[in-house]
Amino acid sequence: MNVWVGISGRGSLPRKKGRHHLWRFLLPEAEYTIMEISPKENTQYFSNNTILPVDRSSFKSESSASKEKQSCCGGIKIFLGALSFVYFAKALSGSYLKSTITQIERRFDIPSSLVGVIDGSFEIGNLLTIILVSYFGAKLHRPRIIGAGCLIMSAGTFLIAMPQFFMGRYRYERFPSTMNSTVSISPCLQDKSQTPLSDLEKSQAKINAGCEREAGSSMWIYVLLGNLLRGIGETPIQPLGITYIDDYAIEEDAALYIGCVQTLAIIGPIFGFLLGSLCAKLYVDIGFVDLDFLPSLKNLFGNPVYILYLCASILHFNSLIGMVTYKPKYIEQQYGQTSSKTNFVIGLINIPAVAFGIFSGGLIMKKFRISVLGAAKLSLGSSFFGYLLLLSLFAMGCENSDVAGLTVSYHGTKQMSGYEQGLFSDCNSDCMCSQNDWDPICGENGITYVSACLAGCQASNGSGKNTVFFNCSCVGILESPSRSSSAVMGPCQKGNECPKMFLYFLVTSVITSYTLSVGGTPGYMLLLRCIKPHLKSFALGIYTLAVRVLAGIPAPVYFGVAIDTTCLKWGSKRCGGRGACRLYHSSTLRYMYLGLTLVLGTMSVFFSVAVLWVLRKRSAPQDETLSANGERGTCVTNSRKDNFFNSDHLIQTTYWPEKETRL
């Protein structure tokens, strides 16, 4: 009900000089609004008695903005829980995919470099939409956009699983004597008459027929496309989710909330690698947008702190992504561990250290109220000491396995040159053996042989992994004539010092992972505080794009290429061509893998030093700490008024009630 009410400016209600105020009070059937006007304003605009029409709806529209913001603030913990679960889920699926690197190589018979391309397709998909989503997404309904991204990620995950249902059963490369058979077959076919010509022709016909049907090997494209789709769906989660928390959380809690989210993102890989460990034991067959873009981009890249930190992060993530991607392979090849045990160790020991490190960084930021300058110091110290610890891993390696014809000669001496040519010797010259086979056996002399045929074995007993080979002429070279020359299925274990080195590696790796992770949350806060508040989403999107394009995509590829150069024995595809690597040179692999990681990390430390130097030069002493009254601490300069805005002032002047609800 509208009521006309006239109240004199000289009434008994309280008033303040030079301002006008509204009082509203309710009666059973009326709503009265009283406007008090200063005497000076009375003489200019109104008479002593002023009558104003007032509608109830006007008060609803006036308070709509504040009500919406209160609603968002009240639901920040719900959003925090949902975002944490999303981080956990996407980290679990991503880490599980990384834990299957070796299995993907063997399943599709592809080299590590191509696996690196498949792994990098996630970042390719991310970069396709990161700019649009991070910039325009901040103007729209951020939680809904994040939800749509989750649906796209789930579709990509299902696409990755498609080859399992389309490719049919997996066929192993194995020697005839290892099949489940009670008949004793000689691995060394000394006479062609042992195998009739017709049987050989039939076998060759089967191989040729299989080659014609081997189109299924190209189904790794499904994995690539699915990972590409996952990258597209993951795009809005990080830039929009983190900035949403920073916008609506209490300032002193923002660092802790972001630390919690990042911690849960690290817990996801624990379950991912544990799931990978379990599966590695199984066989295969079981709306309105404001367009001010170019000026914003120019403003962003005109910030030297942002640019330097971006360069440091790109190098840092090149180091970490390459190291994490091939860490399971490194442990398997360097320390002779199984895929199952490797994934179990990474998921149960290494990943929790990373999660605890990220959480510790957020907790330290909150407890000690560390300034932006302090965050830069903490991030730099974390990287410096982390890579210093990484340097010690060079001394924690194992020697090459003794493989006849590859790393040692058939007489037990170190192999000098001609790896492939060295596979043949006088002891197996009477056998019709192929140098392309890889079915290793362990002789009783402690030397691994590429196959039972190349070991010169004359007889075998048992089946599968319980097969025992007898009268192996190449094994008997180093044995006394009176002893039987036997061998068992599988490669020999590495030297006695290798298990001890593996234990040292695990301990150092856990400490290194924790140290490097402590600087994660301070680095995020440095990034968010050193840019204008209204550019936070855009800046984080550009940051994510740069990391994906310049680190996420190339790092697995060139790490894979570098690792391929250390291969001693390549497998071969059934229809010809080079397959996956079977044996690596341990020392060269260690220097290549750790050296590349350390060089990239050292370069990132230099850029972090430059960030700290710029902050020290441009910061004033009174601005080095986050103030207790809730104002945002920013990287201020002497020209503070031109370069940075106060966060509270910006919210008051640019707040748009519908920006979170209108598409």
Side-chain angles (χ1 to χ4, degrees):
M1 178 178 179
N2 294 332
V3 183
W4 295 85
V5 183
I7 300 296
S8 172
R10 299 178 181 177
S12 59
L13 293 174
R15 70 185 189 183
K16 297 182 181 179
K17 182 179 179 180
R19 300 179 60 185
H20 61 270
H21 300 270
L22 293 176
W23 286 273
R24 179 174 64 182
F25 55 93
L26 299 176
L27 292 180
E29 295 183 5
E31 177 177 353
Y32 295 86
T33 302
I34 306 168
M35 173 174 280
E36 182 191 357
I37 304 175
S38 64
K40 183 176 180 180
E41 291 171 333
N42 279 337
T43 61
Q44 296 178 358
Y45 302 105
F46 303 99
S47 62
N48 288 337
N49 294 329
T50 303
I51 300 177
L52 298 174
V54 181
D55 193 348
R56 291 175 183 266
S57 62
S58 64
F59 293 100
K60 295 180 180 179
S61 61
E62 290 174 359
S63 59
S64 61
S66 60
K67 286 182 178 178
E68 184 176 0
K69 189 171 182 180
Q70 290 174 359
S71 175
C72 291
C73 292
I76 188 63
K77 292 186 178 179
I78 298 177
F79 178 82
L80 177 65
L83 185 66
S84 299
F85 177 77
V86 170
Y87 264 69
F88 172 84
K90 76 181 185 69
L92 186 150
S93 61
S95 60
Y96 175 77
L97 190 62
K98 286 187 179 295
S99 73
T100 60
I101 289 294
T102 304
Q103 287 79 4
I104 290 176
E105 283 186 8
R106 296 176 181 174
R107 184 67 172 100
F108 302 106
D109 218 3
I110 54 179
S112 297
S113 55
L114 185 53
V115 173
V117 174
I118 295 176
D119 185 79
S121 63
F122 179 87
E123 276 69 31
I124 296 177
N126 197 278
L127 72 91
L128 294 177
T129 54
I130 185 66
I131 289 293
L132 295 177
V133 170
S134 61
Y135 182 74
F136 298 125
K139 318 294 182 180
L140 306 176
H141 196 294
R142 284 178 277 185
R144 290 181 183 174
I145 297 177
I146 293 175
C150 293
L151 294 178
I152 296 176
M153 287 188 67
S154 65
T157 305
F158 280 110
L159 187 61
I160 292 175
M162 288 297 102
Q164 176 65 19
F165 305 100
F166 292 159
M167 288 188 66
R169 297 181 65 87
Y170 178 71
R171 289 174 292 183
Y172 310 97
E173 294 181 11
R174 53 183 179 177
F175 186 71
S177 63
T178 64
M179 298 180 181
N180 293 329
S181 175
T182 57
V183 180
S184 178
I185 302 177
S186 174
C188 177
L189 300 178
Q190 294 180 327
D191 188 357
K192 291 185 179 180
S193 61
Q194 290 185 356
T195 303
L197 184 60
S198 59
D199 292 341
L200 293 175
E201 292 175 348
K202 291 179 181 179
S203 177
Q204 185 63 36
K206 290 181 179 179
I207 293 177
N208 294 336
C211 292
E212 295 175 358
R213 299 191 302 265
E214 202 173 13
S217 62
S218 63
M219 284 198 175
W220 56 266
I221 298 176
Y222 280 85
V223 182
L224 185 145
L225 294 179
N227 210 26
L228 187 77
L229 205 58
R230 283 184 61 247
I232 295 175
E234 194 268 350
T235 302
I237 295 176
Q238 184 176 15
L240 301 187
I242 296 296
T243 56
Y244 189 89
I245 291 176
D246 191 60
D247 286 341
Y248 290 98
I250 300 174
E251 180 184 0
E252 62 181 6
D253 293 334
L256 181 61
Y257 286 170
I258 293 176
C260 290
V261 170
Q262 298 295 332
T263 300
L264 288 176
I266 299 301
I267 294 178
I270 297 178
F271 294 90
F273 278 100
L274 290 179
L275 181 61
S277 173
L278 177 63
C279 293
K281 296 180 180 179
L282 305 176
Y283 288 103
V284 177
D285 300 314
I286 329 265
F288 175 81
V289 176
D290 182 15
L291 299 176
D292 59 346
F293 178 81
L294 292 179
S296 299
L297 189 64
K298 181 179 179 181
N299 196 308
L300 195 62
F301 282 95
N303 188 334
V305 176
Y306 178 79
I307 293 299
L308 289 173
Y309 181 75
L310 182 63
C311 294
S313 298
I314 289 173
L315 292 169
H316 182 66
F317 279 103
N318 266 278
S319 172
L320 294 184
I321 290 174
M323 180 178 67
V324 171
T325 299
Y326 293 102
K327 193 168 189 176
K329 173 186 281 291
Y330 178 76
I331 293 177
E332 291 174 27
Q333 295 292 332
Q334 186 68 210
Y335 301 102
Q337 303 297 320
T338 63
S339 297
S340 177
K341 185 176 181 180
T342 298
N343 293 329
F344 180 81
V345 167
I346 293 177
L348 195 63
I349 299 178
N350 203 270
I351 301 299
V354 177
F356 185 58
I358 291 179
F359 180 78
S360 300
L363 190 62
I364 291 172
M365 288 284 293
K366 175 178 172 63
K367 183 175 180 62
F368 298 100
R369 304 183 64 84
I370 295 180
S371 66
V372 176
L373 189 61
K377 294 178 181 178
L378 184 57
S379 179
L380 172 61
S382 170
S383 298
F384 177 77
F385 288 106
Y387 288 114
L388 196 62
L389 287 170
L390 187 66
L391 186 63
S392 63
L393 295 180
F394 281 94
M396 302 175 189
C398 296
E399 294 296 328
N400 287 320
S401 298
D402 290 338
V403 182
L406 292 178
T407 60
V408 297
S409 68
Y410 281 87
H411 297 278
T413 59
K414 295 296 181 181
Q415 187 77 357
M416 301 301 295
S417 62
Y419 291 122
E420 295 292 341
Q421 291 75 11
L423 290 176
F424 298 103
S425 179
D426 294 338
C427 61
N428 57 28
S429 59
D430 295 334
C431 301
M432 295 186 299
C433 304
S434 171
Q435 66 179 9
N436 295 326
D437 293 336
W438 178 257
D439 196 12
I441 64 171
C442 179
E444 62 181 12
N445 55 4
I447 296 179
T448 299
Y449 296 86
V450 173
S451 67
C453 182
L454 289 172
C457 298
Q458 307 295 324
S460 64
N461 188 20
S463 61
K465 64 180 181 180
N466 297 320
T467 303
V468 179
F469 300 92
F470 302 101
N471 300 326
C472 301
S473 57
C474 294
V475 178
I477 292 178
L478 302 178
E479 301 293 335
S480 60
S482 60
R483 295 187 59 183
S484 61
S485 303
S486 62
V488 296
M489 281 298 300
C492 299
Q493 297 294 324
K494 293 221 173 185
N496 296 330
E497 294 296 323
C498 203
K500 185 186 298 183
M501 287 296 179
F502 179 56
L503 181 61
Y504 294 156
F505 171 83
L506 287 181
V507 174
T508 307
S509 179
V510 168
I511 299 175
T512 302
S513 299
Y514 172 80
T515 306
L516 288 172
S517 302
V518 169
T521 303
Y524 258 103
M525 300 313 298
L526 172 64
L527 179 66
L528 292 173
R529 295 295 183 261
C530 288
I531 54 179
K532 295 181 180 180
H534 69 286
L535 293 177
K536 284 189 295 186
S537 294
F538 186 44
L540 197 57
I542 294 293
Y543 173 84
T544 305
L545 171 66
V547 170
R548 303 284 192 195
V549 175
L550 302 178
I553 294 176
V557 176
Y558 65 74
F559 263 81
V561 171
I563 289 174
D564 282 345
T565 61
T566 67
C567 183
L568 293 179
K569 172 63 178 173
W570 287 98
S572 59
K573 296 182 180 180
R574 294 176 58 251
C575 300
R578 193 173 71 176
C581 183
R582 303 302 187 183
L583 181 68
Y584 293 89
H585 192 283
S586 295
S587 300
T588 308
L589 175 64
R590 181 169 69 253
Y591 293 133
M592 188 68 70
Y593 173 77
L594 295 178
L596 197 54
T597 301
L598 190 62
V599 168
L600 292 169
T602 303
M603 294 171 63
S604 72
V605 169
F606 284 113
F607 278 98
S608 298
V609 172
V611 170
L612 185 60
W613 180 79
V614 172
L615 287 176
R616 282 184 175 276
K617 182 178 179 181
R618 303 184 65 179
S619 295
Q622 62 271 22
D623 297 313
E624 290 185 2
T625 57
L626 295 173
S627 58
N629 60 2
E631 293 181 354
R632 298 286 188 183
T634 59
C635 297
V636 295
T637 67
N638 294 329
S639 57
R640 175 174 183 170
K641 186 176 295 185
D642 295 331
N643 290 336
F644 298 97
F645 295 118
N646 180 275
S647 300
D648 298 332
H649 171 72
L650 183 68
I651 292 175
Q652 293 171 5
T653 57
T654 63
Y655 181 72
W656 176 30
E658 295 181 348
K659 75 173 184 178
E660 292 296 336
T661 58
R662 181 176 179 182
L663 286 174

